[in-house]
Amino acid sequence: MSAAASETVATVIRELVDANHILFDQGVVDGFGHVSVRHPDRPDRFLLSRSMAPALVTENDVLEFDLDGNPVVPNGPAPYLERFIHGEIYRKRADVNSVVHSHSPSVVPFSVVTGATLRPVCHMCGFLSEKGTPVFEIRDFAGPGSDLLITSGKLGAALADTLSEGPAVLMRGHGSTVVGSTLRQTVFRAVYTEIGARLQMEAMRLGPVTYLTEEETIGTTKTISTQYDRSWFLWLKAARNSPMSR
Ligand code: MN
């Protein structure tokens, strides 16, 4: 690997560490959940922390995986049980370069109530599908007695199929997975998927909800797409000033 290439990888790893800390500080992940980024030089690989709480991740904890979820360097530290989520989505979606899997709490009710569909209620959530966010039912693939986790390539591929071409997929009784073309866009989407779910639940208690039209989802997404850095640097400063980072 050339010096320039290795510098690119080092920069991506530093941003991935920042993303881990931001997602904790913004309440998307807790002790669980993870964020990955596609390898900048090897599209058939991705970068993801070893199994640990995201808020505690450092550059030394980031591992490289192939799309089957195997660590490129064998006999290393324990990887996340659900790393197959990432590899199978990168395999299916050439447009995706980052993935966040979380159990962010406001999203989970939409995964368990039949007829309650997560949809875009405000401009910051305009990236969500106007037709509704799909729900992955693991019983259809792992039977009635699984632990609900995506612990194999087979389950990861089924989840990627349910995600289809969309930005997010809910996982029944478990959480959600959000994707994007860049790390910063994906972190933005993960934060606003949680906020959008909370706003939609509050709106539903008041009465019938007016959702964004398909044209409004396109318009709002186009405008916001130039603004990700604005929240990124705010959230990064907040994460670095958090008592957790001292
Ligand atoms: Mn999980």
Side-chain angles (χ1 to χ4, degrees), residues 9 20 30 36 38 50 55 66 76 104 132 158-159 164-165 173 178 197 204 209-210 217 224 232 234-235 246:
V9 174
N20 273 272
D30 50 18
S36 71
R38 196 190 289 271
R50 69 182 175 91
D66 65 24
S104 79
L159 179 71
S164 186
E165 299 306 309
V178 177
M204 289 168 91
V209 179
T210 301
T217 66
I224 287 291
W232 173 268
L234 172 71
W235 293 338
R246 282 175 210 140

Side-chain angles (χ1 to χ4, degrees), residues 20-59:
N20 273 272
H21 299 171
I22 287 172
L23 288 168
F24 172 74
D25 199 53
Q26 292 299 312
V28 174
V29 298
D30 50 18
F32 296 87
H34 21 92
V35 51
S36 71
V37 65
R38 196 190 289 271
H39 194 290
D41 305 321
R42 293 280 309 253
D44 59 341
R45 292 185 180 175
F46 64 95
L47 301 166
L48 175 72
S49 167
R50 69 182 175 91
S51 181
M52 65 187 294
L56 306 180
V57 169
T58 70
E59 289 162 37

